[in-house]
Amino acid sequence: MAHALDRIRVGSAPDSWGVWFPDDPQQVPWERFLDEVAEAGYSWIELGPYGYLPTDPARLTDEVTKRNLKVSAGTIFCGLHRGPSEWDSTWEQVSNVAALTQAMDAKHLVVIPSFWRDDKTAEILEPPELTTEQWRNLTTGMERLGREVKDRYGLDIVVHPHADTHIDTEEHVERFLDSTDSGAVNLCLDTGHYAYCGGDSVKLIETYGERIGYLHLKQVDPEILADVVKNEVPFGPAVARGVMCEPPAGVPELGPVLTAAQKLGVDLFAIVEQDMYPCEPDKPLPIAVRTRKFLRSCGA
């Protein structure tokens, strides 16, 4: 079983250490994250929120290299469904993150749509359903973003379906994929977010395999999720309740997801992201060690 998943490159991310913001007193210092992610046995990491890790490429290269780590991707949030007026502010953010991502020899930029519901206060910011025009803005904007990021930085964008955003459910994810060009835009399938929103990751991989460009490995606790859905709890408070749980305690089963991904016959990153904001500083490392061991038992 040891070499069964030889196309899957496993990593972790600041998110699994309770990091959601560039700077927050509840979060562990970045040095501790890097030390512990290496100690847990991972060799790949994401940048996390821009400004959490050092943004000077020479310094960051030095810090990751001395711990035998490499960077797989950077991450941005954007609200391109609002139309062309969003482009300049989006590009300002993208150019910073993409430049650092490129400097770290990574090849992916994870793009998360903006939230329609505030993930802290639960305030409804926008309707959860887009109009036809907003869908068109979203798809054409993401295609433009994909092409420009590729042209200028040599990176592939992978759009991340996410709870409390407009790309969340199976219906929305399939609509997004069906109306975008695979040459410009592919998907970062987050198994936890997709399950949170009622989707089946294995089915998505088997149906839209050529569009799966990147994976986030995550599980949800079905009992907590049922309560979250019933009571319309927003994403932030749901995470604080522990809706995203340590594998293999939740859904979906990660073994079948990884097997389906391996069958695509392409090299894929599978980055562990267990949302735990806020969390006690000593909590992440033991979980990360156990999760790495579990993934090895799956062949990854």
Side-chain angles (χ1 to χ4, degrees), residues 94-106:
V94 167
S95 54
N96 285 330
V97 178
L100 182 60
T101 304
Q102 179 190 39
M104 300 310 295
D105 284 332

Side-chain angles (χ1 to χ4, degrees), residues 9 72-75 101 106-110 155-158 213-214 269:
R9 288 172 280 185
S72 62
T75 304
T101 304
K107 297 287 180 263
H108 294 90
L109 187 67
V110 177
L155 305 177
D156 292 322
I157 73 163
V158 281
Y214 199 93
F269 283 106

Side-chain angles (χ1 to χ4, degrees), residues 58-74:
R59 183 169 183 215
L60 185 55
T61 300
D62 182 50
E63 294 288 352
V64 298
T65 305
K66 72 184 184 190
R67 295 171 174 89
N68 294 315
L69 295 169
K70 299 183 288 277
V71 174
S72 62

Side-chain angles (χ1 to χ4, degrees), residues 116-125 164 232-235 237:
W116 55 260
R117 172 164 61 184
D118 189 288
D119 63 341
K120 280 188 167 172
T121 67
E123 181 194 351
I124 304 291
L125 307 170
D164 290 359
E232 297 183 9
V233 178
F235 183 65

Side-chain angles (χ1 to χ4, degrees), residues 248-278:
V251 295
E253 274 189 80
L254 294 179
V257 170
L258 292 166
T259 301
Q262 168 75 17
K263 284 181 186 163
L264 297 175
V266 294
D267 291 331
L268 279 176
F269 283 106
I271 304 298
V272 176
E273 267 207 334
Q274 185 184 344
D275 294 317
M276 291 199 294
Y277 177 86

